[in-house]
Amino acid sequence: EPEVTQTPSHQVTQMGQEVILRCVPISNHLYFYWYRQILGQKVEFLVSFYNNEISEKSEIFDDQFSVERPDGSNFTLKIRSTKLEDSAMYFCASSPRTARSEAFFGQGTRLTVV
Amino acid sequence: AQKVTQAQTEISVVEKEDVTLDCVYETRDTTYYLFWYKQPPSGELVFLIRRNSFDEQNEISGRYSWNFQKSTSSFNFTITASQVVDSAVYFCALSDYPTSGTYKYIFGTGTRLKVLA
């Protein structure tokens, strides 16, 4: 069964460093998302991406964040200069042609900023 | 504004008991979608069900059932004859008609279910 794949599963980085979280969405999906879950808290929307551009972003998604679909298969989230409060589980999700379909989530990348 | 409330932070039941997880939502839109996701200890989000606002029919899938009531803005989830493997955090989510064209989810805070052997 097709699935959304995220790498790495766990990343530890030093404060101030740049990190790139990678995702391979399901191949025929057209809508892509990043969500964040701070430990023990709810899952929060960061950004949605369609047709090679950001469709919507939350207030969390500030200038430190960027997304890219560099090669038609990968979907990346970059955090330019990480802060301690960026420590969280980051989920990538994709949904098919019709945005009204359910989103399929990857297994998540746990980011720890030290 | 959209909002999802899961008032039950944590529930503990003994195996084989039935348990209902509550979800109350707020939205101004008449077209919206409701979801339940399961997050086991391994951390991934597992899709359980999607329901659109025009379909108030209750749904049963094995030991799982969902009760959608627009009149009370609730979308409750019942596990019948719970098992230890049901232990997880369960999230209810809302997605309504977007201005952006993409249906982002608004998640509730989750209910941690512990099923004791």
Side-chain angles (χ1 to χ4, degrees):
Chain A
E1 188 175 318
E3 58 182 19
V4 176
T5 306
Q6 291 185 242
T7 54
S9 55
H10 189 192
Q11 175 135 12
V12 181
T13 189
Q14 291 208 324
M15 194 167 52
Q17 295 294 304
E18 175 184 286
V19 294
I20 298 176
L21 309 183
R22 300 180 194 280
C23 169
V24 178
I26 295 173
S27 63
N28 62 346
H29 286 189
L30 299 178
Y31 299 85
F32 312 112
Y33 309 83
W34 283 101
Y35 288 81
R36 181 182 82 174
Q37 184 183 30
I38 294 172
L39 186 63
Q41 299 186 23
K42 68 178 177 182
V43 180
E44 299 174 290
F45 169 76
L46 289 178
V47 66
S48 59
F49 192 86
Y50 170 69
N51 203 24
N52 282 321
E53 61 182 21
I54 290 174
S55 302
E56 187 174 352
K57 57 185 180 180
S58 71
E59 59 274 10
I60 302 169
F61 194 88
D62 61 22
D63 293 343
Q64 297 282 27
F65 292 90
S66 62
V67 290
E68 199 176 35
R69 189 153 159 80
D71 56 12
S73 60
N74 290 286
F75 180 51
T76 61
L77 174 70
K78 183 194 290 187
I79 309 175
R80 249 179 285 284
S81 176
T82 49
K83 302 179 234 176
L84 293 176
E85 54 265 36
D86 294 326
S87 295
M89 181 78 98
Y90 289 81
F91 290 101
C92 173
S94 69
S95 61
R97 285 178 61 83
T98 304
R100 283 173 272 180
S101 298
E102 64 270 16
F104 292 83
F105 285 81
Q107 80 279 21
T109 293
R110 180 164 300 285
L111 176 66
T112 303
V113 183
V114 297
Chain B
Q2 314 116 311
K3 187 178 178 184
V4 176
T5 301
Q6 295 181 255
Q8 304 151 309
T9 307
E10 185 169 312
I11 301 175
S12 291
V13 298
V14 177
E15 209 170 16
K16 296 183 186 165
E17 284 185 2
D18 298 348
V19 58
T20 295
L21 310 182
D22 297 333
C23 173
V24 174
Y25 62 92
E26 292 176 33
T27 177
R28 289 187 205 149
D29 287 314
T30 56
T31 302
Y32 52 89
Y33 298 84
L34 296 163
F35 305 81
W36 277 94
Y37 281 84
K38 175 182 180 180
Q39 186 175 45
S42 47
E44 72 271 25
L45 287 168
V46 178
F47 166 77
L48 295 178
I49 191 170
R50 176 181 66 132
R51 172 67 69 219
N52 75 53
S53 53
F54 298 109
D55 182 2
E56 284 195 75
Q57 205 167 14
N58 292 329
E59 181 154 338
I60 299 174
S61 176
R63 296 184 297 107
Y64 295 170
S65 62
W66 290 270
N67 182 293
F68 175 31
Q69 292 198 344
K70 284 177 79 169
S71 59
T72 56
S73 298
S74 66
F75 186 44
N76 296 337
F77 172 33
T78 298
I79 301 174
T80 303
S82 59
Q83 299 175 1
V84 173
V85 293
D86 295 327
S87 297
V89 180
Y90 290 86
F91 289 98
C92 181
L94 164 72
S95 178
D96 58 16
Y97 191 78
T99 53
S100 64
T102 54
Y103 287 78
K104 70 176 189 286
Y105 290 12
I106 304 298
F107 282 84
T109 49
T111 297
R112 181 178 299 278
L113 175 64
K114 292 185 178 177
V115 182
L116 308 171

